[in-house]
Amino acid sequence: MAVTLITELDGTRLEAVGRAARAVPAGSNADTGAHLHERTPIYQALLTEPLAIALLGPGAPAGPSLRLPGTSGPTRLVTSLVGATSLGGAIVQLFAATRRLRDVARQGGLWPDGVERMHVFAPGSVFPLLRSHPGATLELSDGSVSLDAGEITALAEGQTPSEFVETLRQLVIGGRGQEAARHLSQSMLYVLGHPQGGMVILQGELPVFLHLQEAVAFAARMAAQLGRGPDQAAVAAGELFRMAIRGKLAIVVGPGPGALRLRYLDLR
C-alpha cells in the first residue's frame, strides 16, 4: 500500500541553505571548529522542516535497502562522499522537496508499477531513527548535501553539532562523564585504523572523532610526521566503549586543544 502524502513538500528553505552548506563539509575546517558554525543554517532548517524518503515498490531493482521504524516499506540506500572520502557505508537519501523525490525514484526504477510510495517525517523526527548509521544525504534539485555520523547524532538530540559538543563539554567539566558517554553510546564514531591492524592508540588513549573530516585532518597530520597516515572508519560507539573498558583505555573525543576525555569507568 502506498503512503498517502497529505502535503506536498516544497523544500524552498532547505534548497537555499543547502547550496551554501555543500561548499562546507562538516569538519572541513577541523582545526578551528569553524565548520560547525558555518553549516548552522542548514542544521536549524533540518530540525524545523519536514523531510521525506522514497519507499521501494514491488519489483524495484536489487540493492541495499533499509526499513525505518514507522514506515510502510524499505527505502533504497546509496553511497555518498564528503569530498573524496566515503561516509563509511550505504546511507539513506532524505528529500526536502517531493518533486525531487519523484524524479530520483523514477530515474532509479523504484516504482515499477507506477504507484508512488513515500514517507514524510515531521521536523527532526527522522534523525533519531538514523542514529546508528554512518550518515545520510539530503537531496536537492541540483545536487546533495552529505551529513556525517556526528551531524546525525547532534540532530537526533535536537541540537546543532556545535550545541551538542558544548553539551558534552559541560557534562565532562561537571564530572558527569557517564552521562556524556550515554549521549554517544547509540551513535557512530570515527576512529583511525593502524597500518599494522587494529586501531591507533596514543599514549594509552583511544582517539575518536565526531566528524569524518576531523579524522581525515588528524590522519593527514600523522602522515606528515610519519610518512604514512592511518585510514578512517565509522564504528559503533558501543563497540568502542566495550573495547576501551576491556583495555582500560580512556577515550578522547576530538584529540587536540578542545578534546573531551572520557575515562574507561565513564563508559560502563
Side-chain angles (χ1 to χ4, degrees):
M1 176 67 68
V3 172
T4 300
L5 184 63
I6 299 174
T7 304
E8 290 285 326
L9 300 187
D10 175 79
T12 301
R13 181 184 177 198
L14 276 167
E15 285 278 348
V17 297
R19 292 189 185 96
R22 271 211 311 267
V24 190
S28 59
N29 193 6
D31 289 334
T32 65
H35 61 285
L36 297 176
H37 301 287
E38 291 168 349
R39 283 169 66 107
T40 292
I42 193 168
Y43 302 140
Q44 293 171 336
L46 287 167
L47 290 171
T48 55
E49 298 287 326
L51 294 168
I53 59 172
L55 303 179
L56 302 181
S65 63
L66 171 74
R67 182 168 180 169
L68 293 176
T71 65
S72 63
T75 187
R76 171 69 73 236
L77 300 179
V78 298
T79 300
S80 184
L81 302 177
V82 174
T85 308
S86 170
L87 281 176
I91 58 176
V92 171
Q93 286 180 297
L94 303 174
F95 294 86
T98 47
R99 63 181 179 277
R100 174 61 174 158
L101 183 153
R102 289 189 179 96
D103 289 343
V104 170
R106 289 166 180 158
Q107 291 168 9
L110 304 187
W111 301 331
D113 59 3
V115 178
E116 295 183 354
R117 294 169 173 85
M118 59 186 79
H119 187 95
V120 177
F121 293 92
S125 64
V126 69
F127 298 109
L129 306 180
L130 299 176
R131 191 161 190 157
S132 61
H133 296 270
T137 180
L138 174 66
E139 297 297 329
L140 305 174
S141 60
D142 59 351
S144 63
V145 176
S146 294
L147 301 169
D148 69 18
E151 291 172 290
I152 294 294
T153 296
L155 293 168
E157 295 268 337
Q159 297 180 305
T160 69
S162 57
E163 291 170 341
F164 181 64
V165 169
E166 186 58 25
T167 294
L168 296 179
R169 189 179 314 284
Q170 292 305 315
L171 290 173
V172 172
I173 290 173
R176 299 158 65 190
Q178 287 186 327
E179 188 174 345
R182 282 197 295 271
H183 280 273
L184 294 170
S185 62
Q186 302 301 314
S187 305
M188 303 287 285
L189 294 169
Y190 295 100
V191 297
L192 304 176
H194 195 284
Q196 297 179 354
M199 300 178 194
V200 170
I201 297 175
L202 302 175
Q203 298 179 334
E205 297 179 335
L206 177 63
V208 303
F209 304 85
L210 288 171
H211 298 291
L212 175 59
Q213 290 302 316
E214 291 174 341
V216 170
F218 193 87
R221 291 196 295 272
M222 290 185 66
Q225 295 174 355
L226 305 176
R228 179 181 178 183
D231 296 325
Q232 306 83 42
V235 180
E239 180 181 339
L240 292 175
F241 288 0
R242 288 189 290 272
M243 187 187 81
I245 290 169
R246 288 195 301 269
K248 296 185 177 180
L249 301 171
I251 280 184
V252 180
V253 183
L260 303 177
R261 186 177 186 275
L262 298 173
R263 305 170 306 157
Y264 75 90
L265 293 173
D266 293 328
L267 310 177
R268 297 180 182 275

